Amino acid sequence: MKSKISLYSKTILTSIGQIMLQENPWTGLLFLAGIFYGSVVMGIAAILSAVTALITALLLKFDKNETEQGLYGFSATLVGVALTFFFKPEPVIWIAIIAGSSLAAILQHVFIKRKIPVFTLPFIIITWIGLYIFHNVFIIGGPVSGSELLNDQNELATVAHGFGEVIFQGSILAGVIFILAVFINNPVAALYAIASGVLSAYISLQFSEPQTDIHMGLFSFNAVLCAITFSGTRVRDGIYVLFSILVSTLFDIYMVKMGWAPLTFPFVASSWITLLLKKSVPAKYR
């Protein structure tokens, strides 16, 4: 019994770490600490979502290794944090978190079985549905607490905000914790992601996006995920990182201008395009 509790706890934390593609329970624990620092409600929602995804995977007998790698929990965790970020934590929202987390795990399973790399697409689909329902059908207001005042607008603060916004956290400290969490598992990915925060902010400035939004990391968190995904020690890895950052930031800017909630769709779309580009290149140059 004790070993099962230990295994399940490790799986839940690994699921949270997989939000930034890190299969490391310590990374997940630091992510969780950063979420709780920003909002206790979001922290509880993150745990509830990861637990729900694990129970779904166990009940539906998903692959044991994939489950322990956290592949069914990261989209679900993002669903939970997102719904408590956008809406008051009323009972119907907690019900939606449980249902949405379970559906996110099932969707992830469907795509994994078909060997389709969808990254955080299940989170995006479920959250877009939730946004439509609770903004138009069963209207729920936003949470009472506001975001942290933006006192620091230097590059380091912008980078920290970019990391933080991946999991809907607006504080610099949460962002710094997330950077450390990625760094302990993959230093190269963390360094690429730091550079991506600066580059995506620069690109956004060229398109005259609001400086407050840029410094809050709203145009950087998708670039951070792209940099982590395609990071590596070869020169060609850097080229793919650069390409994916450029594409995701342009997607981000376009979706915001259209009034859409981008979530992590720019990251997913950019990753698909970059993977297609890699496939078109001769194998020895990939």
Side-chain angles (χ1 to χ4, degrees):
M1 185 65 183
K2 188 177 177 181
S3 61
K4 275 196 172 181
I5 292 174
S6 176
L7 176 63
Y8 292 158
S9 300
K10 184 180 176 184
T11 300
I12 289 167
L13 291 175
T14 304
S15 296
I16 298 172
Q18 287 280 21
I19 289 173
M20 295 197 205
L21 299 95
Q22 306 303 305
E23 188 184 333
N24 185 322
W26 293 106
T27 298
L29 183 61
L30 285 171
F31 283 172
L32 196 57
I35 298 169
F36 266 102
Y37 171 77
S39 165
V40 173
V41 171
M42 286 190 197
I44 294 171
I47 293 175
L48 176 63
S49 297
V51 170
T52 301
L54 174 59
I55 292 172
T56 302
L58 293 174
L59 289 177
L60 298 181
K61 301 186 187 306
F62 293 168
D63 182 87
K64 185 170 177 282
N65 289 331
E66 291 170 356
T67 301
E68 292 176 5
Q69 288 170 357
L71 300 185
Y72 298 116
F74 66 92
S75 273
T77 303
L78 283 171
V79 168
V81 177
L83 290 180
T84 47
F85 173 80
F86 288 112
F87 303 106
K88 291 178 186 173
E90 296 185 2
V92 68
I93 292 298
W94 291 107
I95 294 170
I97 287 171
I98 293 172
S101 299
S102 185
L103 283 173
I106 293 169
L107 270 178
Q108 203 88 44
H109 177 72
V110 169
F111 288 119
I112 287 175
K113 290 298 109 182
R114 286 158 179 73
K115 300 186 186 304
I116 302 173
V118 294
F119 306 100
T120 55
L121 186 63
F123 147 67
I124 297 165
I125 293 172
I126 299 297
T127 304
W128 276 345
I129 292 172
L131 287 172
Y132 177 79
I133 290 174
F134 295 120
H135 278 152
N136 300 285
V137 182
F138 195 93
I139 298 174
I140 303 288
V144 175
S145 59
S147 58
E148 178 179 270
L149 289 175
L150 191 61
N151 296 318
D152 298 310
Q153 295 196 4
N154 57 60
E155 288 77 6
L156 292 177
T158 302
V159 169
H161 283 305
F163 270 82
E165 290 294 344
V166 173
I167 321 182
F168 299 95
Q169 301 306 306
S171 74
I172 292 175
L173 181 59
V176 171
I177 292 172
F178 294 169
I179 292 172
L180 290 174
V182 175
F183 188 84
I184 62 171
N185 188 59
N186 190 337
V188 173
L191 293 174
Y192 264 117
I194 289 170
S196 76
V198 177
L199 179 58
S200 56
Y202 176 78
I203 295 170
S204 305
L205 277 173
Q206 306 315 303
F207 284 85
S208 302
E209 295 303 321
Q211 291 201 15
T212 302
D213 290 350
I214 293 171
H215 288 296
M216 276 304 296
L218 302 184
F219 294 98
S220 295
F221 64 92
N222 279 290
V224 165
L225 288 171
C226 287
I228 291 172
T229 301
F230 294 102
S231 64
T233 56
R234 304 171 304 175
V235 172
R236 70 192 72 163
D237 295 324
I239 295 171
Y240 291 126
V241 167
L242 184 63
F243 177 79
S244 63
I245 290 171
L246 177 63
V247 174
S248 74
T249 306
L250 294 178
F251 258 108
D252 215 335
I253 292 169
Y254 177 76
M255 292 184 76
V256 170
K257 283 189 183 301
M258 296 299 291
W260 300 335
L263 302 177
T264 53
F265 186 76
F267 152 62
V268 173
S270 175
S271 295
W272 285 339
I273 293 170
T274 307
L275 287 174
L276 286 174
L277 174 68
K278 288 184 77 171
K279 278 189 178 179
S280 70
V281 173
K284 63 180 180 178
Y285 296 117
R286 288 175 193 165

